[in-house]
Structures are given as C-alpha cells and as structure tokens.
Amino acid sequence: MKFSEMPYERVDFNKVEEEFKQLMKEFGEAATGEGQFAVHQKYYRLRDKVDTMMTIAQIRHDVNTADAFYSAEQDYYDEQSPKYSNMIIEYQTLLYDSPYRKELEEKIGAVAFKNMELARKSMDEILIPLLQEENALTTTYEKIPAEAEFDWDGEKVNISRIKAYMKDTDRSIRKKAWDKLSAFFLEHEKELDDIYDKLVKNRTEQARKMGYENYVELGYYRMGRNCYDKDAVEAFRKQVKEDFVPFVEKLHDRRRERLGLEKLSYIDEGIYFKDGNPKPTGTPEEILAAGQRMYSELSVETKEFFDFMRENELFDVLGRKNKRVGGYMTYLPVYQAPFIFANFNGTSGDVDVITHECGHAFQGYLSGKDPIREHSDITMETAECHSMSMEFFTEKWMDWFFGDKADAYREMHFEDAMMFIPYGCMVDEFQHIVYESPELTPAERKEAWSRLEKEYKPHLDYEGDPFFGNGGFWQQQHHIYSFPFYYIDYVIAQTVAFEYKLWMDEDFDAAWKSYLKLCRLSASDFFTNMIKDAGLKLPFEEGCMKEIAEKLEKKLMKEA
C-alpha cells in the first residue's frame, strides 16, 4: 500500500491496556509452551497494529512539524508511549518467567530473553512521569532546528540549505554560511542549555529511582547493549585515540595540501577538493531512478526491495520548510514496509541516503519477513553495520550519480568515513563525562567538549567563532539530546564496514554473501557472535584499530 493511502487512527491506550490484560490472562492460563507461543503470536499482531499507527503519526509530524493535527498526535504519543512501554514489559515479564521458558527460548531465541532482562532493568512504572517529561523535552529540542529560517540573499532557506552552502567552493560563502549557523545557535544557546540540563537531570533521576549510580548503566540497558559493556567501549575508544587519530590527522594534512591551504580552518571541515566536493548530477527523481537501476544490478534481493519502496512511495526525501532535520529509516510492521525520511540539499549526502538509509531499509525488508518478531529487534551497532557497509557495496555504481566526478566521490567518501571515527568516539566520550558528572554546568560541559576536540581532532581551529569556538558544536548533534549513547554504534559499525571494504576489494562476491548472511541473521544472535559468524573481526579485539589503520594506509598509498 502507498504511504499516502495508509489509514491513520489515534491509538486508544485504554483499549490497548485491556487487550494486554486479556493476553496476559490467556498466557497465564496456557498449559503448554505451544499454547503460550500461540498467545505470543497474538501479542505480535497487537504490537504491529499499535506500532504502525504511532510510526505513521511520527512520519507525518516529521515531514511538517507545523502540521497542527500531527503535532498534537506526536504530543499525545510523547505522553502515552511510556505507559505503552510499561505494558510491554509487564507482558514480557510473564514470558521471561514462564515455566515453559525452555520451549519458548527455542522458538524466539536466547537474545530475545536477554533483551527482556535489559528491558526489565531499564523500565518501571515509577518512571512514567519522568519519561513523559523526557519525550516532551526531546520533541521541543527537535523543533528548534526544524523551524530554523535563514535569510540568504533575500531568500528564506532552512538549515539543510545552509549546510549545503557550508560545502561551497568559495571560502567566503562557506564562512557566511557557518556564521549564520553559529548566530542561530548562539541566539538559542540559553534555551538549548536549559533543555539539555533538564534532560541530564531527568535521566539521572530515572537512573537513581532504578537504583543506579548514574544514567550510564541505565543508558546502556536502554540501548540494548546485550553482549558488551562500557569497559569494552572505553577500551575501544582508547584504541582509536592511540592508533587511529594519528592516522586520520595525516589524512587531514593531505586534505590541506589538496586544498592548497597553509592551515585548515573550521570552515574547511568536510571539504575535500579545491574545485568543490562532487555533487550528484541529477534531480532528486533522477537520483531515485538511478538507485532503482543500481539495486536491480546489485542482487535479486535488492531489486525486489527497491522496487517495493518505489511502488509504495516509501521515500520522503525533499527538504522543505518546517520539515524535521536529518534522515532516518523506520518501519511500518502491518505493511512490512520500511520508510526512508531525508532532506535532499543538492550535496553528495543525497546519494548517501540512497546507500546508507537503504542499507537499513534493505535489512528491515528482509527481517520483516521473519515470523519471529524478536529477530527484528536489532541493536544499533548491528543496524549501522548494514547501512555503512552498503555505502561501500554500492560504490562501483557511483558513475550513475556523479558522472565524471565518481572517482572523486569515492575518494571523498572513503576519507570521510575514516575521519568520522574520531568524531564519533568524541561524541560518545562526551556523553560519558556528562552523565557520570551530572552536576556539571552548561559552561563546564562546553569546556569538556573543547578539551575532547583537542584530543580527537587536534587540527580543528574555530578561529574565535563565538559559538563553535566556545565548545558549542555538540548542540547541533541531535543524537546527544534525543538518543543518548547511540553514537558509538556508528563508530563500531564503520569499523566493520572497513573490514567489508577491504574484503570486497579482494573478493566482492564473497563479501556480499557474508553481508547478506549478516542481514538475515538480524537479531537472532548476539552482535559479538554474528560478526565472527560472518567471517569478520570484532572491533573490540585488542589491536583491531591498529591493524585496520595500517591496512587502510597501505591501501591509500597504493592508490595514490
């Protein structure tokens, strides 16, 4: 069914609660494991129905945050979703404590029960008022950049368009765009500080009500970290600092030479070529059409997936006023349909949507056919492996998007992926600092960010910018506000994607076969097991980042 034709009806959570109570009654009365599993399949259908309505409302709100109807619906779900989460956990408690657990575990897997354990550790009815407040605060934050409007030579443009000007070949235009973005965030700095301060205090209170010292432990449970802990992440970041940052700084110096500059400025961040970063040659419609041809050549499975997406209008990618910033893939379970949301702005990022977000959507399309719903409950580092690896698997078709600039795009994309690793670790370490010391003032948080920038991105020079130069850059990274502790997942996944990149350059078919296996495994096993099962090295292994840095550097020298 086309997205525009999907009917929407507000979920009545009083009725949903009654349905949950009936399910729990039937579950408790079932005299066999098979009987309980039959009830569990009814649970799947109830979840599918509710989750689909909530997702439709979210998408329609995000495509126009000024739409009064769907704005009210989003506010409603912000208020009701914690109660819904609690219903789910109450039901799952019966499942977890079932006398027939062995039979149930054989059907839905050990990972599902581990995730239930984490869910129990992360949610309690006493948290509902705090969760409602947290949802309202994150929605308030998301609206600030979504509603941003800038005057550009007499034209009103949104934040996505400003970010496109930040990649212009003319440094004076880049500076002008950076200045406008800086002025906007400076104007809203107090409001942004207040929102984040309230979020930190709110999440800390949640953690303490659950018996934890701070939000870090609760945040890890919320992220579903079911096979590694903060110590493993800290050791991984240490590897990055020691073995990857020096390598990446060499890349920045190479970029500086290519740009013909004596030193790099913040306005040169993300700029790779003197004549400008490669841009796609086609219109948004032509980009989507090229994507359809590309996926039809890549594999039978990807052709089926992309044709389905196009036929059912499951893309909303044009930048518009009042549209939420950023991009994501979400899923509509009743229709077994992924949905891709993005803001095209005429940069190479438009093509990244067709690779990165489609990597998420392709895996969602495959796992949506699995009758065991828990197998779709992938942890975020696994999800990002699918998307970031797809960026590399699709590289050989980039001529269709960039014409004679395709090689330049491939070079830029490869370097950009390597340069992301330190930034992603910096975002993660910043959040650990913040939540381990929730009493920090807004000024102290900005000082911490500035200190981390010197460790992870020593080349960076803000040249006295009043907002970014005072440690404010993180306030435009919406994950820090809305999805605490998410960002390290991108870094772990990017490391896996590099392994695929090195493998596919030697044997594309074998690498693709492994990738398909990883997508189909979904959440049927733990990330640490699946990576090894797919024939890859686990990023947490000692020496992994040193080995990858050496291999990548050798590859770059060979191609130079």
Side-chain angles (χ1 to χ4, degrees):
M1 181 181 287
K2 290 178 171 55
F3 179 72
S4 60
E5 297 170 358
M6 291 179 187
Y8 170 73
E9 182 181 350
R10 176 183 277 197
V11 176
D12 183 337
F13 284 100
N14 290 325
K15 288 183 180 176
V16 171
E17 187 173 18
E18 290 305 311
E19 289 184 69
F20 263 100
K21 285 178 180 175
Q22 180 61 32
L23 280 178
M24 292 169 73
K25 181 174 180 293
E26 290 178 26
F27 191 91
E29 291 172 351
T32 64
E34 282 294 337
Q36 288 192 337
F37 184 66
V39 176
H40 192 55
Q41 289 173 307
K42 292 183 181 179
Y43 162 79
Y44 288 157
R45 291 192 287 274
L46 174 58
R47 287 287 310 273
D48 285 356
K49 182 176 66 175
V50 174
D51 293 351
T52 298
M53 288 302 111
M54 290 175 70
T55 302
I56 289 172
Q58 178 207 344
I59 294 168
R60 291 180 180 164
H61 165 262
D62 288 352
V63 300
N64 181 8
T65 59
D67 183 307
F69 176 80
Y70 282 108
S71 186
E73 296 305 281
Q74 186 63 47
D75 290 343
Y76 171 72
Y77 292 122
D78 282 348
E79 181 183 338
Q80 295 294 324
S81 61
K83 297 177 185 176
Y84 176 50
S85 297
N86 200 56
M87 293 176 210
I88 292 166
I89 287 170
E90 284 183 359
Y91 168 81
Q92 288 179 341
T93 297
L94 287 183
L95 193 69
Y96 189 84
D97 294 331
S98 167
Y100 309 108
R101 176 167 163 174
K102 185 179 177 185
E103 297 99 302
L104 292 169
E105 196 165 315
E106 285 173 2
K107 288 184 178 295
I108 66 177
V111 176
F113 282 89
K114 181 63 178 178
N115 289 343
M116 287 176 217
E117 178 189 327
L118 299 186
R120 290 171 76 171
K121 290 179 175 180
S122 67
M123 179 61 195
D124 190 282
E125 194 171 0
I126 60 171
L127 299 185
I128 287 175
L130 287 169
L131 288 164
Q132 290 170 331
E133 180 188 53
E134 180 186 9
N135 286 343
L137 286 166
T138 56
T139 297
T140 300
Y141 167 77
E142 296 285 359
K143 283 183 176 179
I144 293 171
E147 294 172 1
E149 193 172 69
F150 302 87
D151 180 59
W152 190 272
D153 296 340
E155 181 188 2
K156 297 294 183 185
V157 301
N158 64 10
I159 206 164
S160 294
R161 290 278 301 281
I162 282 293
K163 289 188 175 182
Y165 287 120
M166 288 161 66
K167 299 291 179 70
D168 199 273
T169 54
D170 187 330
R171 294 185 89 228
S172 66
I173 291 177
R174 296 208 296 268
K175 180 70 166 66
K176 179 181 171 184
W178 273 95
D179 285 349
K180 284 188 177 293
L181 191 69
S182 174
F184 172 79
F185 278 98
L186 194 61
E187 180 187 349
H188 292 275
E189 185 176 24
K190 177 68 168 62
E191 185 180 2
L192 293 168
D193 281 339
D194 287 346
I195 291 170
Y196 195 61
D197 204 56
K198 287 174 183 174
L199 281 168
V200 171
K201 287 178 169 56
N202 174 296
R203 289 165 179 158
T204 300
E205 188 179 347
Q206 288 184 48
R208 289 177 178 161
K209 280 183 180 291
M210 294 294 285
Y212 307 125
E213 182 182 354
N214 57 49
Y215 184 72
V216 176
E217 190 173 2
L218 178 57
Y220 269 58
Y221 292 149
R222 292 253 169 95
M223 285 301 299
R225 302 261 155 83
N226 55 26
C227 58
Y228 59 91
D229 58 17
K230 74 182 186 73
D231 292 335
V233 171
E234 186 177 352
F236 175 70
R237 291 198 312 261
K238 185 171 182 286
Q239 280 196 65
V240 169
K241 271 188 194 177
E242 292 177 357
D243 300 317
F244 214 81
V245 168
F247 162 60
V248 168
E249 286 302 300
K250 290 181 194 173
L251 295 181
H252 281 297
D253 199 52
R254 182 170 115 157
R255 184 170 64 89
R256 177 192 62 75
E257 290 178 355
R258 192 190 300 138
L259 294 173
L261 298 171
E262 286 190 18
K263 75 176 188 68
L264 289 170
S265 161
Y266 73 109
I267 67 169
D268 304 311
E269 284 293 284
I271 307 298
Y272 291 88
F273 299 99
K274 207 169 186 176
D275 61 349
N277 292 350
K279 295 179 181 179
T281 57
T283 63
E285 181 55 40
E286 287 168 337
I287 289 171
L288 288 167
Q292 191 158 15
R293 295 202 325 274
M294 175 179 74
Y295 283 113
S296 71
E297 285 198 6
L298 177 55
S299 74
V300 172
E301 295 88 351
T302 52
K303 179 185 188 316
E304 179 187 305
F305 145 72
F306 205 89
D307 288 350
F308 174 83
M309 296 287 289
R310 291 279 276 162
E311 286 164 15
N312 292 288
E313 299 172 355
L314 296 166
F315 290 94
D316 190 305
V317 298
L318 298 181
R320 294 185 297 275
K321 182 181 176 182
N322 294 320
K323 186 176 180 181
R324 176 184 156 170
V325 298
Y328 59 77
M329 185 284 288
T330 189
Y331 191 76
L332 299 151
V334 165
Y335 304 103
Q336 296 186 340
F339 186 95
I340 289 177
F341 172 97
N343 283 271
F344 277 15
N345 61 4
T347 69
S348 61
D350 299 352
V351 178
D352 295 339
V353 170
I354 303 302
T355 59
H356 181 98
E357 298 302 342
C358 282
H360 286 307
F362 174 60
Q363 190 278 331
Y365 182 76
L366 292 178
S367 65
K369 299 178 186 301
D370 190 325
I372 305 301
R373 289 289 186 267
E374 286 82 2
H375 291 175
S376 297
D377 293 338
I378 50 177
T379 45
M380 291 301 100
E381 78 289 305
T382 306
E384 297 304 339
C385 287
H386 308 138
S387 58
M388 291 177 145
S389 299
M390 184 65 90
E391 292 177 30
F392 287 129
F393 278 111
T394 52
E395 275 190 331
K396 61 182 172 180
W397 286 277
M398 289 302 106
D399 301 71
W400 294 355
F401 299 93
F402 294 97
D404 61 3
K405 295 286 186 182
D407 284 340
Y409 169 78
R410 283 184 274 259
E411 184 175 5
M412 176 186 75
H413 173 252
F414 193 33
E415 286 190 10
D416 189 61
M418 291 182 278
M419 291 172 183
F420 168 75
I421 297 280
Y423 175 74
C425 284
M426 181 168 70
V427 169
D428 185 67
E429 185 167 347
F430 174 72
Q431 293 182 94
H432 279 81
I433 290 169
V434 166
Y435 288 108
E436 285 169 7
S437 301
E439 72 284 352
L440 291 177
T441 64
E444 288 170 331
R445 288 179 194 129
K446 293 188 175 79
E447 286 170 12
W449 180 264
S450 292
R451 185 173 68 253
L452 291 173
E453 283 182 324
K454 289 179 176 64
E455 294 175 17
Y456 284 103
K457 301 186 74 172
H459 70 278
L460 192 57
D461 182 358
Y462 285 116
E463 300 177 335
D465 180 88
F467 180 75
F468 297 115
N470 287 319
F473 186 91
W474 62 272
Q475 293 194 301
Q476 54 95 54
Q477 186 65 64
H478 79 108
H479 301 76
I480 292 176
Y481 282 79
S482 302
F483 305 104
F485 294 113
Y486 188 155
Y487 223 67
I488 196 66
D489 302 86
Y490 289 116
V491 186
I492 295 166
Q494 187 65 76
T495 306
V496 171
F498 284 139
E499 292 189 65
Y500 271 129
K501 170 63 177 166
L502 293 165
W503 189 358
M504 74 181 70
D505 287 349
E506 297 295 324
D507 188 340
F508 188 92
D509 290 341
W512 178 253
K513 186 177 178 182
S514 165
Y515 174 78
L516 266 183
K517 180 178 184 178
L518 186 65
C519 286
R520 287 188 169 124
L521 281 169
S522 196
S524 61
D525 202 348
F526 295 100
F527 170 74
T528 47
N529 294 337
M530 290 191 296
I531 290 300
K532 292 177 180 176
D533 197 20
L536 301 164
K537 191 169 185 176
L538 196 63
F540 302 124
E541 289 180 28
E542 184 64 37
C544 179
M545 296 311 292
K546 184 174 176 29
E547 181 183 331
I548 287 179
E550 288 171 353
K551 286 181 177 178
L552 293 174
E553 188 164 15
K554 190 179 291 184
K555 178 177 173 58
L556 286 170
M557 288 173 65
K558 188 177 177 183
E559 292 176 353

